[in-house]
Amino acid sequence: MDKLKVGVIGATGMVGQRYVSLLENHPWFEVVVVAASAHSAGKTYAESVHGRWKMENPVPDSVKDLVLLDVKDVKTIADQVDFVFSAVSMSKDEIRAIEEEYAKTETPVVSNNSAHRWTPDVPMIVPEINPEHSEIIKYQRERLGTKRGFIAVKPNCSIQSYTPALSAWRKFEPTQVIATTYQAISGAGKTLEDAPEIVGNVIPYISGEEAKSENEPLKIWGHVDDEKKEIVSAESPVITSQCLRVPVLYGHTAAAFVNFKQNPTKEELIEALESYRGEPQKLGLPSAPKQFIQYMQQDDRPQVRYDVNFENGMGISIGRLRPDKIFDWKFIGLSHNTSRGAAGGAILCAELLKEQGYIEKK
């Protein structure tokens, strides 16, 4: 297969590094451009990440000698690629502007950033949950004046640890949810060595995280409104959350409580989790986990140490489902925050968009 040519903008940060690492030997995509700030431009990729490479595997041979371009040199980059993954570190206004600038060069943008998550005609996709939201792209292209350029985003990393379970249970009509997340330090782009303040500590505040946790699932469960030409969020369930940073490298854990309009049994809830399949599984996408959600029967699972890499970090682990004295049920969820929650989720989204015909060779 003739691979699509990909650029990674914001390639030197932790999420950018994860993109580069996961795309090594990808069957459909080939990284041909890496870009970062003007300060890094002109160095080889290996030089730019020397001493700050945070991935488990070494810098891929296929990218180590690529010369970094300036992320703001949009036309030069766009001329060389079929689409880009965005992991740039700028202000939200700057990110919104530069991602639209790329889209207007007829270069699709699949973004890890939060800047466009609430742009009404930008789909925020978890491929197993809301693949149909890509239908909004036709209206976004109308607004941007493009034929093939558009922006799609993936949601916040922390919601991946409980939103998939709630999605599997939508038929039981969840009405209220409490979700407390215990989030890895890599979610802040750091390692335990980079963040001595987290060692032996729990920090009970992550800027902006609780609003994302409470609102983003509702957009994912929303629908494309053809009259308004936007995605309209679902009205329920009502979600309230607290988000804590904990001394773990990879893996966001959630302790969640849920009320249902229906009255499902434990057996029905577990069966719904284990049988849940989405478009990535039906299509056999390269990055798709065969089992999207696993339910773990052991009392002390899921655990980050043993379960965060389930399905190469692309699967979700749920456990400790039990009745609650105030809510109907409570459970524990675990997801890999830089694989499923960040770069891996965006790569899976790009694979879906390619199969749907939205991303193709220029």
Side-chain angles (χ1 to χ4, degrees):
M1 174 182 173
D2 192 11
K3 294 185 180 183
L4 293 171
K5 295 178 179 177
V6 178
V8 178
I9 61 173
T12 57
M14 184 174 270
V15 173
Q17 291 179 24
R18 182 66 71 182
Y19 274 122
V20 166
S21 182
L22 290 175
L23 288 166
E24 184 181 18
N25 301 318
H26 192 282
W28 295 358
F29 307 146
E30 178 185 8
V31 177
V32 298
V33 170
V34 285
S37 66
H39 173 73
S40 298
K43 299 176 184 176
T44 67
Y45 187 71
E47 289 170 343
S48 70
V49 298
H50 180 70
R52 58 192 189 103
W53 179 252
K54 303 180 191 298
M55 300 296 105
E56 303 82 4
N57 301 320
V59 179
D61 289 339
S62 57
V63 299
K64 67 181 182 181
D65 294 326
L66 291 178
V67 175
L68 276 165
L69 301 180
D70 183 346
V71 71
K72 294 184 177 178
D73 195 354
V74 175
K75 186 176 186 310
T76 299
I77 293 169
D79 284 348
Q80 299 178 56
V81 300
D82 296 309
F83 74 101
V84 298
F85 288 111
S86 174
V88 293
S89 180
M90 302 173 173
S91 72
K92 280 188 168 52
D93 287 344
E94 288 176 307
I95 293 170
R96 278 190 284 268
I98 201 160
E99 289 183 348
E100 285 204 359
E101 195 176 342
Y102 275 95
K104 287 177 180 177
T105 67
E106 302 295 357
T107 304
V109 178
V110 180
S111 180
N112 184 72
N113 299 300
S114 63
H116 270 296
R117 287 182 192 156
W118 289 99
T119 303
D121 58 12
V122 169
M124 180 167 64
I125 295 175
V126 178
E128 284 88 351
I129 299 174
N130 61 332
E132 73 283 357
H133 280 199
S134 58
E135 294 167 12
I136 198 70
I137 288 170
K138 62 179 177 283
Y139 299 125
Q140 186 192 145
R141 284 171 169 167
E142 279 181 21
R143 175 175 63 84
L144 295 174
T146 61
K147 290 188 171 142
R148 70 186 304 281
F150 66 90
I151 301 160
V153 299
K154 55 148 291 299
N156 181 259
C157 52
S158 69
I159 73 168
Q160 318 273 343
S161 51
Y162 56 91
T163 300
L166 297 173
S167 298
W169 295 336
R170 291 285 282 167
K171 60 187 174 185
F172 303 122
E173 299 181 81
T175 57
Q176 295 171 307
V177 175
I178 295 175
T180 298
T181 57
Y182 302 85
Q183 300 185 205
I185 193 65
S186 56
K190 298 179 180 180
T191 65
L192 294 169
E193 290 75 24
D194 298 334
E197 69 277 8
I198 197 65
V199 177
N201 194 20
V202 171
I203 299 173
Y205 175 69
I206 306 172
S207 179
E209 201 74 5
E210 286 154 3
K212 295 172 187 175
S213 294
E214 293 169 357
N215 296 318
E216 289 186 14
L218 298 176
K219 181 171 180 178
I220 291 167
W221 294 322
H223 68 278
V224 175
D225 188 312
D226 290 308
E227 190 174 330
K228 294 180 178 178
K229 299 185 178 181
E230 63 183 48
I231 295 167
V232 176
S233 293
E235 294 183 358
S236 66
V238 176
I239 303 172
T240 186
S241 74
Q242 296 204 84
C243 300
L244 295 78
R245 188 74 73 193
V246 295
V248 165
L249 180 57
Y250 296 118
H252 289 350
T253 299
F257 301 75
V258 56
N259 277 331
F260 293 103
K261 193 171 183 181
Q262 307 294 331
N263 188 28
T265 65
K266 182 173 181 177
E267 291 71 26
E268 287 174 325
L269 291 168
I270 292 173
E271 195 279 330
L273 295 175
E274 294 182 330
S275 64
Y276 190 87
R277 299 288 185 277
E279 280 297 294
Q281 287 70 41
K282 294 173 189 172
L283 294 170
L285 299 180
S287 299
K290 287 184 173 59
Q291 181 78 23
F292 179 39
I293 305 171
Q294 68 168 343
Y295 183 76
M296 311 196 74
Q297 298 283 354
Q298 305 96 314
D299 288 339
D300 62 350
R301 304 285 279 276
Q303 291 183 32
V304 169
R305 176 173 293 181
Y306 303 117
D307 305 313
V308 74
N309 289 313
F310 170 59
E311 290 278 15
N312 297 313
M314 292 297 288
I316 310 300
S317 298
I318 303 295
R320 302 209 67 216
L321 177 66
R322 59 217 192 276
D324 184 63
K325 292 179 181 178
I326 298 173
F327 278 67
D328 293 335
W329 294 93
K330 53 191 171 187
F331 67 95
I332 301 294
L334 172 66
S335 61
H336 194 303
N337 56 296
T338 67
S339 293
R340 167 58 72 167
I347 292 169
L348 185 61
C349 180
E351 293 168 359
L352 173 71
L353 291 166
K354 176 199 168 295
E355 286 296 274
Q356 291 177 330
Y358 292 102
I359 294 177
E360 53 194 1
K361 292 197 81 65
K362 282 185 178 174

mmCIF file of all heavy atoms in Angstrom, residues 99-109 121 136-151 358:
data_model
loop_
_atom_site.group_PDB
_atom_site.id
_atom_site.type_symbol
_atom_site.label_atom_id
_atom_site.label_comp_id
_atom_site.label_asym_id
_atom_site.label_seq_id
_atom_site.Cartn_x
_atom_site.Cartn_y
_atom_site.Cartn_z
ATOM 1 N N GLU A 99 -4.108 25.689 13.586
ATOM 2 C CA GLU A 99 -4.751 24.478 13.069
ATOM 3 C C GLU A 99 -5.702 24.817 11.927
ATOM 4 O O GLU A 99 -5.778 24.072 10.936
ATOM 5 C CB GLU A 99 -5.457 23.734 14.205
ATOM 6 C CG GLU A 99 -4.473 23.081 15.167
ATOM 7 C CD GLU A 99 -5.112 22.262 16.290
ATOM 8 O OE1 GLU A 99 -6.347 22.373 16.487
ATOM 9 O OE2 GLU A 99 -4.377 21.516 16.964
ATOM 10 N N GLU A 100 -6.393 25.937 12.031
ATOM 11 C CA GLU A 100 -7.246 26.365 10.910
ATOM 12 C C GLU A 100 -6.399 26.752 9.701
ATOM 13 O O GLU A 100 -6.792 26.508 8.557
ATOM 14 C CB GLU A 100 -8.151 27.522 11.333
ATOM 15 C CG GLU A 100 -9.295 27.083 12.219
ATOM 16 C CD GLU A 100 -10.495 28.019 12.187
ATOM 17 O OE1 GLU A 100 -10.443 29.051 11.481
ATOM 18 O OE2 GLU A 100 -11.498 27.703 12.867
ATOM 19 N N GLU A 101 -5.232 27.341 9.952
ATOM 20 C CA GLU A 101 -4.351 27.714 8.842
ATOM 21 C C GLU A 101 -3.921 26.464 8.073
ATOM 22 O O GLU A 101 -3.907 26.458 6.841
ATOM 23 C CB GLU A 101 -3.124 28.464 9.390
ATOM 24 C CG GLU A 101 -2.333 29.212 8.337
ATOM 25 C CD GLU A 101 -1.185 30.025 8.931
ATOM 26 O OE1 GLU A 101 -1.184 30.301 10.152
ATOM 27 O OE2 GLU A 101 -0.275 30.364 8.144
ATOM 28 N N TYR A 102 -3.569 25.399 8.790
ATOM 29 C CA TYR A 102 -3.225 24.141 8.117
ATOM 30 C C TYR A 102 -4.428 23.597 7.352
ATOM 31 O O TYR A 102 -4.306 23.178 6.192
ATOM 32 C CB TYR A 102 -2.743 23.103 9.137
ATOM 33 C CG TYR A 102 -1.274 23.201 9.463
ATOM 34 C CD1 TYR A 102 -0.832 23.921 10.565
ATOM 35 C CD2 TYR A 102 -0.313 22.590 8.650
ATOM 36 C CE1 TYR A 102 0.524 24.031 10.867
ATOM 37 C CE2 TYR A 102 1.048 22.691 8.937
ATOM 38 C CZ TYR A 102 1.459 23.410 10.048
ATOM 39 O OH TYR A 102 2.804 23.519 10.338
ATOM 40 N N ALA A 103 -5.597 23.583 7.989
ATOM 41 C CA ALA A 103 -6.790 23.053 7.320
ATOM 42 C C ALA A 103 -7.080 23.809 6.027
ATOM 43 O O ALA A 103 -7.484 23.207 5.019
ATOM 44 C CB ALA A 103 -7.985 23.126 8.261
ATOM 45 N N LYS A 104 -6.842 25.122 6.033
ATOM 46 C CA LYS A 104 -7.133 25.940 4.842
ATOM 47 C C LYS A 104 -6.134 25.722 3.713
ATOM 48 O O LYS A 104 -6.368 26.172 2.589
ATOM 49 C CB LYS A 104 -7.210 27.416 5.232
ATOM 50 C CG LYS A 104 -8.491 27.741 6.005
ATOM 51 C CD LYS A 104 -8.529 29.188 6.457
ATOM 52 C CE LYS A 104 -9.829 29.487 7.220
ATOM 53 N NZ LYS A 104 -9.863 30.874 7.744
ATOM 54 N N THR A 105 -5.023 25.028 3.996
ATOM 55 C CA THR A 105 -4.122 24.613 2.910
ATOM 56 C C THR A 105 -4.565 23.265 2.335
ATOM 57 O O THR A 105 -3.815 22.627 1.599
ATOM 58 C CB THR A 105 -2.664 24.484 3.396
ATOM 59 O OG1 THR A 105 -2.574 23.382 4.323
ATOM 60 C CG2 THR A 105 -2.172 25.757 4.040
ATOM 61 N N GLU A 106 -5.774 22.825 2.692
ATOM 62 C CA GLU A 106 -6.341 21.525 2.291
ATOM 63 C C GLU A 106 -5.598 20.364 2.939
ATOM 64 O O GLU A 106 -5.531 19.263 2.390
ATOM 65 C CB GLU A 106 -6.360 21.372 0.760
ATOM 66 C CG GLU A 106 -7.140 22.453 0.022
ATOM 67 C CD GLU A 106 -8.647 22.445 0.331
ATOM 68 O OE1 GLU A 106 -9.097 21.559 1.080
ATOM 69 O OE2 GLU A 106 -9.354 23.318 -0.183
ATOM 70 N N THR A 107 -5.076 20.614 4.144
ATOM 71 C CA THR A 107 -4.374 19.587 4.906
ATOM 72 C C THR A 107 -5.192 19.230 6.140
ATOM 73 O O THR A 107 -5.319 20.043 7.066
ATOM 74 C CB THR A 107 -2.984 20.110 5.346
ATOM 75 O OG1 THR A 107 -2.253 20.534 4.194
ATOM 76 C CG2 THR A 107 -2.213 19.025 6.091
ATOM 77 N N PRO A 108 -5.788 18.037 6.199
ATOM 78 C CA PRO A 108 -6.525 17.646 7.395
ATOM 79 C C PRO A 108 -5.622 17.668 8.639
ATOM 80 O O PRO A 108 -4.436 17.335 8.563
ATOM 81 C CB PRO A 108 -6.999 16.230 7.080
ATOM 82 C CG PRO A 108 -7.066 16.177 5.587
ATOM 83 C CD PRO A 108 -5.910 17.017 5.122
ATOM 84 N N VAL A 109 -6.213 18.052 9.759
ATOM 85 C CA VAL A 109 -5.515 18.134 11.039
ATOM 86 C C VAL A 109 -6.229 17.209 12.023
ATOM 87 O O VAL A 109 -7.431 17.353 12.246
ATOM 88 C CB VAL A 109 -5.519 19.570 11.595
ATOM 89 C CG1 VAL A 109 -4.826 19.625 12.963
ATOM 90 C CG2 VAL A 109 -4.869 20.546 10.623
ATOM 91 N N ASP A 121 -18.448 22.893 15.019
ATOM 92 C CA ASP A 121 -18.422 22.010 13.847
ATOM 93 C C ASP A 121 -17.133 21.186 13.761
ATOM 94 O O ASP A 121 -16.804 20.645 12.704
ATOM 95 C CB ASP A 121 -18.640 22.802 12.548
ATOM 96 C CG ASP A 121 -17.613 23.909 12.329
ATOM 97 O OD1 ASP A 121 -16.589 23.940 13.047
ATOM 98 O OD2 ASP A 121 -17.831 24.743 11.426
ATOM 99 N N ILE A 136 -20.071 15.895 10.548
ATOM 100 C CA ILE A 136 -20.061 17.353 10.706
ATOM 101 C C ILE A 136 -18.983 17.995 9.841
ATOM 102 O O ILE A 136 -19.027 19.208 9.585
ATOM 103 C CB ILE A 136 -19.841 17.729 12.204
ATOM 104 C CG1 ILE A 136 -20.274 19.178 12.478
ATOM 105 C CG2 ILE A 136 -18.384 17.546 12.623
ATOM 106 C CD1 ILE A 136 -21.752 19.416 12.422
ATOM 107 N N ILE A 137 -18.023 17.206 9.361
ATOM 108 C CA ILE A 137 -16.898 17.759 8.602
ATOM 109 C C ILE A 137 -17.378 18.501 7.365
ATOM 110 O O ILE A 137 -16.803 19.527 6.979
ATOM 111 C CB ILE A 137 -15.889 16.639 8.256
ATOM 112 C CG1 ILE A 137 -15.136 16.209 9.524
ATOM 113 C CG2 ILE A 137 -14.911 17.085 7.175
ATOM 114 C CD1 ILE A 137 -14.298 14.960 9.364
ATOM 115 N N LYS A 138 -18.450 18.032 6.740
ATOM 116 C CA LYS A 138 -18.930 18.728 5.528
ATOM 117 C C LYS A 138 -19.327 20.167 5.839
ATOM 118 O O LYS A 138 -19.112 21.079 5.030
ATOM 119 C CB LYS A 138 -20.074 17.967 4.873
ATOM 120 C CG LYS A 138 -21.335 17.794 5.691
ATOM 121 C CD LYS A 138 -22.384 17.029 4.885
ATOM 122 C CE LYS A 138 -23.658 16.771 5.682
ATOM 123 N NZ LYS A 138 -23.510 15.674 6.645
ATOM 124 N N TYR A 139 -19.886 20.392 7.026
ATOM 125 C CA TYR A 139 -20.278 21.755 7.396
ATOM 126 C C TYR A 139 -19.061 22.581 7.814
ATOM 127 O O TYR A 139 -18.999 23.791 7.537
ATOM 128 C CB TYR A 139 -21.300 21.715 8.529
ATOM 129 C CG TYR A 139 -22.572 20.995 8.147
ATOM 130 C CD1 TYR A 139 -23.052 19.935 8.910
ATOM 131 C CD2 TYR A 139 -23.288 21.361 7.000
ATOM 132 C CE1 TYR A 139 -24.210 19.263 8.562
ATOM 133 C CE2 TYR A 139 -24.449 20.697 6.641
ATOM 134 C CZ TYR A 139 -24.905 19.653 7.426
ATOM 135 O OH TYR A 139 -26.059 18.988 7.065
ATOM 136 N N GLN A 140 -18.100 21.948 8.451
ATOM 137 C CA GLN A 140 -16.866 22.655 8.788
ATOM 138 C C GLN A 140 -16.143 23.106 7.517
ATOM 139 O O GLN A 140 -15.641 24.230 7.438
ATOM 140 C CB GLN A 140 -15.944 21.750 9.627
ATOM 141 C CG GLN A 140 -14.710 22.473 10.139
ATOM 142 C CD GLN A 140 -13.667 21.546 10.720
ATOM 143 O OE1 GLN A 140 -12.471 21.792 10.590
ATOM 144 N NE2 GLN A 140 -14.083 20.463 11.366
ATOM 145 N N ARG A 141 -16.114 22.219 6.519
ATOM 146 C CA ARG A 141 -15.467 22.592 5.255
ATOM 147 C C ARG A 141 -16.185 23.762 4.586
ATOM 148 O O ARG A 141 -15.541 24.623 3.976
ATOM 149 C CB ARG A 141 -15.432 21.378 4.321
ATOM 150 C CG ARG A 141 -14.356 20.347 4.688
ATOM 151 C CD ARG A 141 -14.499 19.073 3.871
ATOM 152 N NE ARG A 141 -13.347 18.197 4.006
ATOM 153 C CZ ARG A 141 -13.313 16.930 3.614
ATOM 154 N NH1 ARG A 141 -14.410 16.386 3.063
ATOM 155 N NH2 ARG A 141 -12.232 16.198 3.764
ATOM 156 N N GLU A 142 -17.501 23.789 4.701
ATOM 157 C CA GLU A 142 -18.248 24.955 4.181
ATOM 158 C C GLU A 142 -17.762 26.237 4.846
ATOM 159 O O GLU A 142 -17.521 27.249 4.192
ATOM 160 C CB GLU A 142 -19.747 24.788 4.453
ATOM 161 C CG GLU A 142 -20.484 23.903 3.485
ATOM 162 C CD GLU A 142 -21.969 23.832 3.854
ATOM 163 O OE1 GLU A 142 -22.471 24.744 4.567
ATOM 164 O OE2 GLU A 142 -22.635 22.867 3.444
ATOM 165 N N ARG A 143 -17.625 26.186 6.160
ATOM 166 C CA ARG A 143 -17.203 27.379 6.907
ATOM 167 C C ARG A 143 -15.778 27.775 6.555
ATOM 168 O O ARG A 143 -15.477 28.977 6.390
ATOM 169 C CB ARG A 143 -17.319 27.116 8.413
ATOM 170 C CG ARG A 143 -16.785 28.249 9.284
ATOM 171 C CD ARG A 143 -17.031 28.009 10.753
ATOM 172 N NE ARG A 143 -16.342 26.833 11.285
ATOM 173 C CZ ARG A 143 -15.071 26.837 11.700
ATOM 174 N NH1 ARG A 143 -14.331 27.926 11.624
ATOM 175 N NH2 ARG A 143 -14.541 25.719 12.187
ATOM 176 N N LEU A 144 -14.901 26.792 6.433
ATOM 177 C CA LEU A 144 -13.493 27.094 6.158
ATOM 178 C C LEU A 144 -13.236 27.389 4.681
ATOM 179 O O LEU A 144 -12.184 27.931 4.337
ATOM 180 C CB LEU A 144 -12.614 25.912 6.590
ATOM 181 C CG LEU A 144 -12.573 25.575 8.081
ATOM 182 C CD1 LEU A 144 -11.771 24.303 8.315
ATOM 183 C CD2 LEU A 144 -11.986 26.730 8.887
ATOM 184 N N GLY A 145 -14.169 27.016 3.818
ATOM 185 C CA GLY A 145 -13.960 27.186 2.388
ATOM 186 C C GLY A 145 -12.975 26.186 1.821
ATOM 187 O O GLY A 145 -12.213 26.497 0.907
ATOM 188 N N THR A 146 -12.991 24.952 2.350
ATOM 189 C CA THR A 146 -12.050 23.925 1.906
ATOM 190 C C THR A 146 -12.781 22.769 1.239
ATOM 191 O O THR A 146 -13.978 22.579 1.428
ATOM 192 C CB THR A 146 -11.240 23.371 3.100
ATOM 193 O OG1 THR A 146 -12.145 22.783 4.049
ATOM 194 C CG2 THR A 146 -10.433 24.465 3.774
ATOM 195 N N LYS A 147 -12.014 21.988 0.466
ATOM 196 C CA LYS A 147 -12.560 20.796 -0.171
ATOM 197 C C LYS A 147 -12.131 19.542 0.573
ATOM 198 O O LYS A 147 -12.884 18.577 0.642
ATOM 199 C CB LYS A 147 -12.101 20.726 -1.634
ATOM 200 C CG LYS A 147 -12.759 21.796 -2.486
ATOM 201 C CD LYS A 147 -12.461 21.593 -3.955
ATOM 202 C CE LYS A 147 -13.304 22.545 -4.763
ATOM 203 N NZ LYS A 147 -12.632 23.107 -5.926
ATOM 204 N N ARG A 148 -10.901 19.534 1.090
ATOM 205 C CA ARG A 148 -10.432 18.349 1.814
ATOM 206 C C ARG A 148 -9.894 18.692 3.204
ATOM 207 O O ARG A 148 -9.788 17.828 4.064
ATOM 208 C CB ARG A 148 -9.391 17.569 1.001
ATOM 209 C CG ARG A 148 -8.058 18.244 0.842
ATOM 210 C CD ARG A 148 -7.125 17.489 -0.103
ATOM 211 N NE ARG A 148 -6.870 16.109 0.253
ATOM 212 C CZ ARG A 148 -6.018 15.710 1.191
ATOM 213 N NH1 ARG A 148 -5.371 16.615 1.919
ATOM 214 N NH2 ARG A 148 -5.820 14.429 1.433
ATOM 215 N N GLY A 149 -9.559 19.947 3.456
ATOM 216 C CA GLY A 149 -9.018 20.328 4.751
ATOM 217 C C GLY A 149 -10.091 20.408 5.833
ATOM 218 O O GLY A 149 -11.226 20.805 5.567
ATOM 219 N N PHE A 150 -9.733 19.997 7.043
ATOM 220 C CA PHE A 150 -10.646 20.071 8.199
ATOM 221 C C PHE A 150 -9.826 19.821 9.457
ATOM 222 O O PHE A 150 -8.636 19.465 9.383
ATOM 223 C CB PHE A 150 -11.779 19.038 8.094
ATOM 224 C CG PHE A 150 -11.304 17.606 8.171
ATOM 225 C CD1 PHE A 150 -11.193 16.935 9.389
ATOM 226 C CD2 PHE A 150 -10.954 16.922 7.014
ATOM 227 C CE1 PHE A 150 -10.739 15.629 9.457
ATOM 228 C CE2 PHE A 150 -10.495 15.607 7.075
ATOM 229 C CZ PHE A 150 -10.386 14.964 8.296
ATOM 230 N N ILE A 151 -10.468 19.968 10.611
ATOM 231 C CA ILE A 151 -9.860 19.656 11.906
ATOM 232 C C ILE A 151 -10.748 18.646 12.617
ATOM 233 O O ILE A 151 -11.974 18.810 12.664
ATOM 234 C CB ILE A 151 -9.728 20.918 12.783
ATOM 235 C CG1 ILE A 151 -8.881 21.984 12.085
ATOM 236 C CG2 ILE A 151 -9.128 20.579 14.157
ATOM 237 C CD1 ILE A 151 -9.110 23.383 12.629
ATOM 238 N N TYR A 358 -12.403 10.637 4.511
ATOM 239 C CA TYR A 358 -12.109 12.047 4.799
ATOM 240 C C TYR A 358 -10.629 12.392 4.669
ATOM 241 O O TYR A 358 -10.277 13.535 4.409
ATOM 242 C CB TYR A 358 -12.581 12.402 6.222
ATOM 243 C CG TYR A 358 -14.083 12.389 6.359
ATOM 244 C CD1 TYR A 358 -14.733 11.322 6.965
ATOM 245 C CD2 TYR A 358 -14.852 13.445 5.865
ATOM 246 C CE1 TYR A 358 -16.126 11.305 7.083
ATOM 247 C CE2 TYR A 358 -16.233 13.443 5.979
ATOM 248 C CZ TYR A 358 -16.865 12.364 6.588
ATOM 249 O OH TYR A 358 -18.228 12.344 6.702
#
